[in-house]
Amino acid sequence: MDTFEELNVKGFIDEPIDPVLDLFDEIEKLKKEKNAVILAHYYQEPDIQDIADYIGDSLGLSQEAAKTDADIIVFAGVHFMAETAKILSPEKKVLLPDLKAGCSLSDSCPPHLFSKFKEKYPDHIVITYVNCSAELKALSDIVCTSSNAVQIVDSLPKDQKIIFGPDKNLGRYVAKKTERDLVLWNGACMVHEIFSLQRIVKLKERHPNAKFIAHPECEDAVLEMADYAGSTTGLLKYTMNSEAKEFIVATESGIIHQMEKASPDKIFIPAPPNNTCACNDCPHMKRNTLEKLYLCIKNGLPEVTVPMEVIKKAKIPIERMLEISARLVL
Ligand code: 13P
Ligand code: SF4
């Protein structure tokens, strides 16, 4: 097995796997043996979604991480999500199949720079999107996700001044919806910024009956065209409840697996990006594979840790979000 140093360089355990093993069976056995639960985000590869105990958006995953009675949480998602699980359940072991599964949006907001930015607005409350580091959460007053950001901002008095970070696109969307001025950090997600407006317009012309749905991390011009904008769970529910038979989907392509499972008679077309690549995959999310998941649960590594002083501070804004969300019908 890899040494600790090797693990830190590679990010995952790299040992040979017997090709005759049925990884689905093996993972099921290990889960029972170790009292482990697998939480997976919708952007994970289909095999991982199919073996997970819970699949969800960032809010659902945090709620699940807060209430699970498993001893080990295997987080099939990216680093900030596993950190959030660790902050909510510090007594549990939290594993991430590949420690290098990061997030361009989280990286776009280094805590030391955000701290200086925050100093310029001393009378503002800080609301941060959950897609950020534990250190950034520790500098925040309330955390939000894409499914509750509008309601969380709306829960504050109208004259309350607010800094919103790190995603400027979600921030603009929330500012519009709530009719407020928000001070925005200039961060963005590499996957959601890549959609080509021109190519979407052309695709819509070819599929006049298709509904165009988009995640609020997309740019304003893309969201303006959308028949519906919402979190991954919101998008999935919309496709299930809509009478439409075709959907153009502007978010990471992993969600289409659940959309197709829930509505096998409907057609889902990934929105085209502004390059020649036909995929909208998040390279960070897709670092996790079934093989890495198996090795991770088998060896109890790589483990995500967060310093206790950061946990104490970061837990407060996350729990505020969970409290507010528990009162909302989302
Ligand atoms: P949600 O699943 O909460 O909508 O988040 C999307 C995302 O970009 C996660 O990285
Ligand atoms: Fe981060 Fe974007 Fe990937 Fe989500 S899709 S993990 S926001 S880079």
Side-chain angles (χ1 to χ4, degrees):
M1 202 185 74
D2 306 83
T3 63
F4 184 70
E5 286 73 28
E6 281 168 334
L7 189 58
N8 271 334
V9 173
K10 276 190 259 172
F12 59 95
I13 293 183
D14 189 12
E15 65 181 41
I17 299 176
D18 182 346
V20 302
L21 280 185
D22 179 329
L23 292 187
F24 283 89
D25 285 351
E26 294 303 312
I27 292 171
E28 282 302 344
K29 270 192 246 160
L30 286 165
K31 262 184 356 191
K32 286 198 189 87
E33 210 177 277
K34 300 186 177 225
N35 189 25
V37 68
I38 300 178
L39 307 183
H41 188 266
Y42 289 123
Y43 296 165
Q44 293 294 285
E45 62 172 45
D47 279 351
I48 294 183
Q49 294 190 34
D50 291 344
I51 192 89
D53 297 291
Y54 177 86
I55 319 164
D57 67 358
S58 306
L59 177 64
L61 289 164
S62 328
Q63 287 166 331
E64 213 52 38
K67 70 175 188 215
T68 180
D69 53 13
D71 295 320
I72 300 177
I73 299 175
V74 184
F75 215 111
V78 289
H79 196 267
F80 75 80
M81 296 179 169
E83 274 186 337
T84 306
K86 183 70 187 172
I87 293 164
L88 288 167
S89 293
E91 71 293 349
K92 297 190 194 305
K93 192 171 197 180
V94 177
L95 304 177
L96 184 63
D98 189 325
L99 271 188
K100 291 199 173 164
C103 168
S104 66
L105 176 54
S106 175
D107 291 347
S108 69
C109 194
H112 69 286
L113 295 182
F114 188 79
S115 193
K116 289 216 170 77
F117 178 72
K118 186 180 148 174
E119 277 169 21
K120 290 197 272 178
Y121 306 96
D123 53 349
H124 286 53
I125 270 194
V126 177
I127 301 185
T128 50
Y129 187 32
V130 70
N131 299 32
C132 65
S133 64
E135 288 75 15
L136 204 81
K137 291 182 178 83
L139 294 169
S140 314
D141 296 298
I142 315 179
V143 165
C144 71
T145 74
S146 52
S147 57
N148 59 23
V150 169
Q151 290 86 344
I152 286 190
V153 168
D154 262 340
S155 73
L156 299 173
K158 207 73 193 167
D159 58 351
Q160 174 63 58
K161 294 175 182 168
I162 300 170
I163 297 176
F164 189 96
D167 190 1
K168 64 177 179 201
N169 294 316
L170 178 65
R172 268 192 213 120
Y173 171 79
V174 173
K176 257 192 193 171
K177 286 271 174 195
T178 58
E179 297 176 351
R180 298 195 195 217
D181 279 330
L182 304 178
V183 174
L184 303 180
W185 178 265
N186 188 19
C189 157
M190 62 190 281
V191 178
H192 290 90
E193 281 225 308
I194 208 173
F195 295 112
S196 157
L197 199 58
Q198 271 182 334
R199 293 178 70 193
I200 294 170
V201 171
K202 284 204 183 117
L203 194 60
K204 274 178 68 117
E205 280 166 12
R206 291 211 303 278
H207 299 269
N209 298 323
K211 295 284 181 198
F212 174 57
I213 58 175
H215 193 281
E217 285 176 26
C218 294
E219 289 177 326
D220 193 35
V222 170
L223 292 174
E224 278 292 308
M225 278 178 52
D227 295 297
Y228 174 79
S231 75
T232 49
T233 297
L235 297 173
L236 175 61
K237 282 190 187 156
Y238 179 85
T239 61
M240 289 160 76
N241 298 331
S242 167
E243 306 260 290
K245 291 285 176 210
E246 268 186 300
F247 300 86
I248 299 169
V249 184
T251 191
E252 213 268 1
S253 57
I255 185 71
I256 291 180
H257 181 56
Q258 291 305 320
M259 290 175 172
E260 286 176 340
K261 272 175 106 171
S263 309
D265 57 324
K266 297 182 182 177
I267 294 167
F268 301 97
I269 308 162
N274 58 13
N275 57 23
T276 48
C277 163
C279 58
N280 309 324
D281 284 351
C282 169
H284 308 288
M285 286 278 181
K286 296 304 198 276
R287 283 188 73 94
N288 296 325
T289 60
L290 195 66
E291 288 73 19
K292 287 181 191 171
L293 179 70
Y294 161 69
L295 291 173
C296 155
I297 187 165
K298 175 172 167 258
N299 293 295
L301 286 168
E303 184 176 357
V304 169
T305 55
V306 180
M308 197 36 89
E309 66 273 18
V310 177
I311 291 187
K312 278 189 195 143
K313 288 186 189 151
K315 204 178 176 116
I316 300 166
I318 302 174
E319 285 185 338
R320 271 192 197 128
M321 167 185 83
L322 294 178
E323 274 158 35
I324 299 173
S325 297
R327 289 184 252 126
L328 299 170
V329 185
L330 296 169

